[in-house]
Amino acid sequence: NPGISVSTASSYSALKRGLTNSKNPFNLAPCRTVEELVDQLQLCGNDFEDVHLKSFVVLQKIKGELLQLGALLVRMSGSGPTMFGIFKDDPKIAKSGINSEYDWLDFTVGPIRLNE
């Protein structure tokens, strides 16, 4: 999280989209591997990313840094500005220098266990 304020109300007004079509909801299928999870998540997205990645360069930078650290998928959480990455292996963020180079708030949440 870059520590910037993003108004939820202005985020929704910037979308300029109609209501979600409930006739075709997205259903996450069961996943056995991280790659399967990422493949499933590639089928859906966060509409706020289109708006905020254009408006806030820092979010593009965070996305690029997470991808460079090996994230298989990077997305925005909710209406932003928090970004998250899904990794197969420990991203070693503390050793990357991101914390000393940028004033971003970051957390490593580990690991999600998939039923095998």
Side-chain angles (χ1 to χ4, degrees):
N1 182 301
I4 60 176
S5 178
V6 175
S7 164
T8 300
S10 63
S11 297
Y12 275 96
S13 66
L15 281 180
K16 298 181 182 148
R17 293 196 168 107
L19 295 175
T20 302
N21 180 353
S22 62
K23 292 180 182 176
N24 285 325
F26 174 77
N27 292 311
L28 185 63
C31 303
R32 294 182 182 257
T33 66
V34 173
E35 291 83 6
E36 286 180 12
L37 175 63
V38 169
D39 287 345
Q40 285 290 307
L41 293 175
Q42 293 283 7
L43 299 174
C44 65
N46 183 337
D47 293 335
F48 292 113
E49 283 186 38
D50 294 337
V51 173
H52 293 322
L53 288 178
K54 292 175 187 171
S55 301
F56 301 101
V57 176
V58 67
L59 298 179
Q60 294 173 21
K61 179 72 174 168
I62 291 171
K63 183 173 184 171
E65 292 285 342
L66 290 171
L67 290 170
Q68 189 172 347
L69 285 168
L72 301 174
L73 179 80
V74 178
R75 288 281 167 74
M76 179 178 292
S77 177
S79 59
T82 299
M83 304 290 290
F84 68 90
I86 296 178
F87 295 82
K88 182 172 180 156
D89 299 309
D90 185 354
K92 308 291 187 220
I93 288 177
K95 295 179 183 176
S96 71
I98 286 178
N99 290 334
S100 60
E101 187 176 350
Y102 305 105
D103 190 23
W104 299 342
L105 179 62
D106 68 82
F107 298 95
T108 301
V109 180
I112 295 172
R113 304 271 182 217
L114 299 173
N115 294 331
E116 296 186 34

